[in-house]
Amino acid sequence: MNQLRVFSLIIFVFCMTAGFAQSSKKIVQKGISVVKTSEMRIDDGDKEYWIDEIEYYDNRGNLIEYKEYSDKGDDLKKWIKYKYDTNSNLIEEIELNEKGEQKERIVTIYKDDLKIERHYYDDRDRLYKKKKYEYEFRS
């Protein structure tokens, strides 16, 4: 079960970083700090919009928090906080439950601006997995 959750989180983070509505450059240029996405399901008879997603950005245009809500905006489905280093490398991802308690934490370690390791921690902040990255360079 934990492996499935980790895999889902990795896929989610990849999709999030690949599919943000605005580029970080545009976020900075426009001075955007929060993006709210609302939805109205006309086929379900909705007559008003409800909040679907909220994205929070820092001054460098990095996504620092993401919240996704269930249909009708009633329940928090996903809540992730992100931390970056001074080079805007993503160094920590914390998935939280609806009470704001850690479900999982992923720490990414860089060397020379290249990702070299990821450490995975469970809801009790116990390290349960490590991933190592190796690079081969063109000569």
Side-chain angles (χ1 to χ4, degrees):
M1 179 72 171
N2 262 348
Q3 291 174 336
L4 180 59
R5 187 168 26 133
V6 171
F7 180 72
S8 298
L9 177 62
I10 291 168
I11 295 299
F12 170 75
V13 169
F14 174 77
C15 291
M16 285 297 303
T17 55
F20 292 139
Q22 302 290 331
S23 70
S24 59
K25 181 179 176 182
K26 195 67 84 177
I27 296 287
V28 172
Q29 283 177 346
K30 301 289 185 180
I32 297 169
S33 63
V34 178
V35 175
K36 292 181 183 177
T37 306
S38 299
E39 185 172 305
M40 181 191 324
R41 293 295 310 260
I42 297 167
D43 59 344
D44 286 346
D46 289 352
K47 301 214 183 300
E48 294 182 23
Y49 285 95
W50 45 270
I51 294 177
D52 181 42
E53 297 176 331
I54 303 175
E55 300 170 347
Y56 300 85
Y57 294 89
D58 66 14
N59 292 336
R60 292 181 286 169
N62 295 316
L63 178 68
I64 56 172
E65 189 170 349
Y66 172 80
K67 292 181 178 181
E68 179 183 345
Y69 295 89
S70 64
D71 285 345
K72 311 297 181 207
D74 297 333
D75 298 314
L76 185 61
K77 277 178 30 178
K78 194 166 288 286
W79 185 3
I80 302 175
K81 290 187 175 189
Y82 304 94
K83 292 182 184 176
Y84 300 84
D85 64 14
T86 56
N87 294 327
S88 290
N89 291 317
L90 179 61
I91 58 171
E92 187 175 65
E93 307 159 49
I94 303 172
E95 182 178 4
L96 305 166
N97 65 22
E98 58 281 345
K99 295 178 183 175
E101 301 163 335
Q102 178 177 311
K103 287 171 66 174
E104 181 175 55
R105 182 169 69 100
I106 302 171
V107 175
T108 306
I109 301 166
Y110 295 84
K111 182 177 179 182
D112 298 326
D113 252 357
L114 292 173
K115 183 185 325 182
I116 60 168
E117 264 188 63
R118 293 190 99 187
H119 297 179
Y120 296 79
Y121 299 85
D122 66 13
D123 60 342
R124 292 167 56 191
D125 214 31
R126 297 174 300 192
L127 180 65
Y128 71 89
K129 180 172 91 171
K130 287 184 176 184
K131 187 178 275 192
K132 180 177 164 182
Y133 297 83
E134 296 179 359
Y135 301 90
E136 293 182 15
F137 300 92
R138 290 184 287 282
S139 48

